[in-house]
Amino acid sequence: MLLPELYQTCGTEDFLYEDNLAFRDFLKKENIHAKYVEAPGEHNFKFWDKSIENVLEWL
């Protein structure tokens, strides 16, 4: 089955940061194509507002 490429982004100060790294590594191990982006930021709208601009550009 062909899966679409995924886009994963996370702030380095996000409380889910370690989980995101584990998921990124899992995808890589399973040969699932994903664009992984991390940047300074927390789990909040300030980070998401900037990230959505990057996601839309990527699409």
Side-chain angles (χ1 to χ4, degrees):
M1 175 166 69
L2 182 62
L3 297 174
E5 185 176 4
L6 301 175
Y7 188 101
Q8 179 187 7
T9 187
C10 187
T12 53
E13 288 74 45
D14 192 316
F15 69 93
L16 295 172
Y17 180 70
E18 294 298 325
D19 293 324
N20 273 272
L21 293 178
F23 186 62
R24 177 202 63 191
D25 294 344
F26 169 79
L27 293 174
K28 187 179 286 188
K29 186 181 108 194
E30 296 296 318
N31 292 316
I32 298 172
H33 297 285
K35 179 174 180 73
Y36 176 78
V37 178
E38 64 179 49
E42 299 179 26
H43 193 91
N44 58 31
F45 281 105
K46 182 177 180 182
F47 182 82
W48 301 332
D49 284 346
K50 178 60 180 161
S51 295
I52 194 65
E53 293 175 17
N54 297 331
V55 172
L56 291 172
E57 186 177 307
W58 173 77
L59 286 171

